[in-house]
Amino acid sequence: MLKIIYHPLKVVLLLVISSNCFSQTEIFDIVTYTPPKDWKKDAKPGVVNYTHVNTAAGTFCVLTIYASTASMGDAQKDFKKEWNELVVTPYKAGANPQTETQTTADGWKAVTGAAPIKLDGNDVYILLTVLSGFEKTVSIRCSMNDQSYSTQIDALFETMELDKTKTTAVNNNIKPAQTNGAAAKFGLMNYIAPAGWSEEIFSDGVVFKPLGLPADEHLAIQIMEPLNFSGTLEQAMEKSFEEATIMYNGTSMYQSDGKYSKNAAQKSFNGWEYIRGKGSIQVENGTAYKSEVGLEVFVIKINNRFERVAIIESRKYCGGVSRYYATDRISYRNGIEQFLYSLQFSDFNAAVLKSGSANGTGIVGVWEGTIQSTGAATGVRLEVFSPIFFNNGQVYFGNKFPTEGLDDFNSRIAPELYPRNWGTYTFNNGNGMLKMPFAEIPFRTQGDKIIVTKNQRDWPFYKLNSVDGAKFSGTYKMSESYEIIPVITFTADGKFNDNGVVRTLYHDGTNCINPGFVPGSGNYTVKDFTVTFNYTDGRKVKIAFLGTDYDKSNPSPATLRMSFNEDPMNRQ
């Protein structure tokens, strides 16, 4: 445990001392001060950092001064707010540190708190001083791993003077509004805000953040200002990614294909051309160790300009082993994709292609069968395919059923992300054609099945019955998974009690983002080949359910199969 001796009383009382006896004073926002000699300065909008690293001794200190904000009118409330935002959220420190409060001769109230933390396995001490008064507040945070820096920190505080009359830089009392999925507009862009996300509107953009995100993670969608540029989509992407990196005060990280990977420019089902790129950048976190975050940029060409959207997200360790991005959670990724592909523009008219439905008669619906497949690594093999014929002429022809089934499934977005297994079909008088990106595949109906001709052989597929409104009854268990025997109990009145089954069916080994990781109970519903588990603690988990070998008249079959993998659960 680090033993840092800190004197908040000294810091506070010395704030009223004049800095006239010091040279090379600097001004940041309402603060005038003399910085430590030979420390590296890094000034960015709203914040200035001073860093000292002694490589030989393995010590460091980062001192950060934040631009003034509007006070809440209470020094303790100001401190609690700043402590939560600047210490608890980024470093997982305790929410209620021991504090000292003093009032200077000039009338400023200073509240100081401290906490030891672990950062990437290193012992670090965080000190936060929040000064409040005259309708404004200023925060100064120090992060260090050695008490020898105390003298230099004290010396900086001795030189500080605060301007009572200057207007605050930011009004933090303005709170973002929660969205309800309503349509809105920024410039010529018409968008539908993601439901359940907060929305902040600025003169140069709009920012959305999910409300249920864990406190130590970050995720935001940001509409950027349009780019008036005569170059190509690829060139616009390069400029936009660089601009977004600077906007987030980041530095580029390089990978095998440059600063970011990108897809080929393409035309969306909305009619506009676009390109998207994704990479990682490093951002300051108040210590000598920068944080890696994911940065994704979506660029759309509209007439003679480029509309841009940036997505920035934290990358965290789960249990010290696996790493994950915030958008690895399906619910967040779905919200982002729905937002991006629903964008429309006042000066761009194109036919809106609606999502299809797999509910229907005849060829429309979900089918299942086996077919021969070949691959460079696997060779020739038989695979179970689940073709989905939608009522709008779209078809899915692949070996993995959608992870969450088809409830609220958007058949227009999926092909933008995974084009190989998506195409269109024609059908007339018992004969049809699948028009896939890699080939055209003929098929025909024969009694209650369809016959797909591939690799010069006929392969039969059978239509699956609707599972809407299905009920289950009994206790079912699975084979050992994650060192436990998963068990779940269903009742015919729509209730469940789960102990590991939903976690296993979700097929995500990263516990931090698997919504079924924690056992629980609640209600279930079945619709459009999806079982939705609504937990009493507010979680909502969707699992694919094709209903293979299931009969609605028998809610307690010997075996139930769920998930895109059709994992078996055996009745007890």
Side-chain angles (χ1 to χ4, degrees):
M1 178 73 68
L2 290 173
K3 293 184 179 179
I4 302 293
I5 300 173
Y6 187 66
H7 304 285
L9 178 60
K10 176 181 177 183
V11 170
V12 171
L13 295 180
L14 289 176
L15 287 171
V16 300
I17 294 179
S18 170
S19 61
N20 292 336
C21 59
F22 294 87
S23 60
Q24 297 178 337
T25 59
E26 296 191 16
I27 298 175
F28 173 72
D29 190 50
I30 68 169
V31 186
T32 301
Y33 61 97
T34 300
K37 186 178 179 181
D38 297 327
W39 285 39
K40 179 184 176 182
K41 178 182 178 182
D42 183 18
K44 299 173 181 177
V47 64
V48 60
N49 289 300
Y50 291 92
T51 305
H52 185 274
V53 178
N54 187 327
T55 305
T59 61
F60 74 85
C61 181
V62 180
L63 189 148
T64 306
I65 305 173
Y66 293 90
S68 60
T69 63
S71 173
M72 300 175 71
D74 184 300
Q76 295 297 330
K77 290 182 179 179
D78 287 340
F79 177 83
K80 185 175 181 62
K81 175 179 177 297
E82 296 296 292
W83 180 265
N84 184 63
E85 292 184 2
L86 301 178
V87 184
V88 176
T89 296
Y91 303 117
K92 295 184 179 180
N96 299 297
Q98 184 177 351
T99 62
E100 284 200 33
T101 303
Q102 296 291 329
T103 302
T104 72
D106 281 355
W108 294 91
K109 285 191 176 181
V111 183
T112 299
I117 65 163
K118 282 282 188 180
L119 185 66
D120 295 330
N122 300 293
D123 291 316
V124 178
Y125 208 69
I126 306 291
L127 309 170
L128 181 69
T129 297
V130 179
L131 297 116
S132 301
F134 313 99
E135 300 182 350
K136 53 183 74 71
T137 185
V138 173
S139 295
I140 301 138
R141 185 182 68 187
C142 303
S143 309
M144 69 183 87
N145 69 347
D146 191 270
Q147 65 179 353
S148 63
Y149 289 104
S150 298
T151 301
Q152 292 165 289
I153 294 172
D154 286 347
L156 179 139
F157 273 104
E158 290 178 14
T159 70
M160 279 191 176
E161 286 188 337
L162 305 181
D163 189 336
K164 303 176 182 178
T165 62
K166 192 173 181 180
T167 304
T168 58
V170 181
N171 184 356
N172 270 355
N173 290 326
I174 299 175
K175 297 182 179 180
Q178 179 176 346
T179 68
N180 57 5
K185 188 174 184 178
F186 176 75
L188 296 173
M189 178 188 289
N190 301 297
Y191 63 86
I192 299 175
W197 293 47
S198 67
E199 178 180 13
E200 294 180 89
I201 301 174
F202 304 92
S203 61
D204 59 351
V206 185
V207 177
F208 309 92
K209 296 178 182 179
L211 297 176
L213 194 69
D216 62 336
E217 296 185 31
H218 179 74
L219 172 60
I221 303 171
Q222 182 163 346
I223 299 175
M224 301 170 64
E225 288 188 298
L227 173 66
N228 293 310
F229 179 61
S230 60
T232 64
L233 268 167
E234 289 80 3
Q235 292 169 332
M237 167 58 71
E238 183 178 1
K239 290 176 69 70
S240 299
F241 201 92
E242 184 67 24
E243 183 180 328
T245 300
I246 295 171
M247 178 175 67
Y248 293 122
N249 300 321
T251 54
S252 298
M253 296 179 66
Y254 289 84
Q255 50 195 46
S256 60
D257 47 359
K259 295 181 181 179
Y260 54 86
S261 59
K262 64 180 184 295
N263 68 299
Q266 63 192 85
K267 180 178 287 188
S268 78
F269 64 88
N270 291 304
W272 34 256
E273 292 181 279
Y274 73 99
I275 191 171
R276 63 193 306 171
K278 186 173 185 178
S280 295
I281 61 174
Q282 289 185 321
V283 297
E284 299 286 351
N285 58 18
T287 75
Y289 309 98
K290 293 183 178 180
S291 297
E292 177 186 345
V293 299
L295 176 61
E296 186 174 354
V297 178
F298 196 89
V299 180
I300 304 169
K301 181 174 176 57
I302 300 294
N303 299 323
N304 296 320
R305 72 180 187 281
F306 296 91
E307 299 278 359
R308 290 98 54 80
V309 177
I311 298 123
I312 189 166
E313 58 181 323
S314 57
R315 192 179 190 193
K316 307 286 290 185
Y317 277 101
C318 184
V321 182
S322 57
R323 301 185 76 184
Y324 67 94
Y325 287 107
T327 60
D328 287 340
R329 295 180 178 86
I330 291 179
S331 59
Y332 293 152
R333 176 49 63 181
N334 286 348
I336 290 171
E337 300 302 339
Q338 185 66 44
F339 172 82
L340 293 174
Y341 289 103
S342 66
L343 294 176
Q344 297 184 33
F345 304 91
S346 300
D347 58 343
F348 184 84
N349 295 318
V352 178
L353 301 179
K354 295 183 178 181
S355 177
S357 170
N359 292 320
T361 58
I363 199 71
V364 174
V366 178
W367 302 71
E368 192 170 70
T370 57
I371 197 167
Q372 180 179 302
S373 181
T374 58
T378 58
V380 179
R381 65 194 186 282
L382 290 179
E383 287 189 299
V384 175
F385 267 44
S386 300
I388 309 171
F389 290 82
F390 293 88
N391 62 0
N392 62 352
Q394 286 185 280
V395 64
Y396 169 79
F397 192 70
N399 61 355
K400 182 182 177 182
F401 197 73
T403 301
E404 294 187 326
L406 299 180
D407 185 32
D408 291 329
F409 182 80
N410 191 310
S411 69
R412 291 296 180 184
I413 294 178
E416 301 282 342
L417 306 175
Y418 315 105
R420 177 175 172 78
N421 294 328
W422 285 85
T424 60
Y425 70 92
T426 58
F427 181 72
N428 187 37
N429 293 327
N431 293 285
M433 184 71 70
L434 304 178
K435 297 181 179 181
M436 306 299 295
F438 53 87
E440 292 192 355
I441 304 172
F443 70 94
R444 67 184 187 275
T445 56
Q446 188 178 97
D448 62 349
K449 57 183 178 288
I450 60 172
I451 306 297
V452 175
T453 303
K454 188 172 182 286
N455 299 326
Q456 300 180 338
R457 288 190 58 182
D458 288 345
W459 304 93
F461 288 81
Y462 298 86
K463 191 172 185 179
L464 300 181
N465 295 323
S466 169
V467 294
D468 289 3
K471 298 296 182 182
F472 315 116
S473 180
T475 297
Y476 289 80
K477 76 172 185 178
M478 303 179 70
S479 299
E480 181 177 336
S481 179
Y482 303 109
E483 300 181 345
I484 66 168
I485 301 296
V487 177
I488 190 168
T489 298
F490 293 100
T491 60
D493 60 351
K495 293 182 173 59
F496 73 91
N497 192 316
D498 167 58
N499 187 18
V501 165
V502 175
R503 175 190 181 187
T504 303
L505 294 174
Y506 202 76
H507 286 276
D508 195 324
T510 304
N511 296 335
C512 299
I513 60 175
N514 188 325
F517 175 66
V518 178
S521 59
N523 299 310
Y524 70 88
T525 58
V526 183
K527 179 186 175 186
D528 291 338
F529 300 97
T530 300
V531 180
T532 301
F533 294 90
N534 295 293
Y535 287 80
T536 55
D537 60 12
R539 283 178 291 158
K540 183 177 181 179
V541 185
K542 290 185 174 184
I543 301 293
F545 176 55
L546 282 78
T548 305
D549 299 327
Y550 172 79
D551 188 333
K552 287 184 183 179
S553 65
N554 179 17
S556 304
T559 300
L560 271 175
R561 296 182 180 274
M562 291 186 186
S563 89
F564 66 87
N565 200 47
E566 298 197 89
D567 300 300
M569 300 179 287
N570 297 316
R571 191 185 71 237
Q572 301 302 289

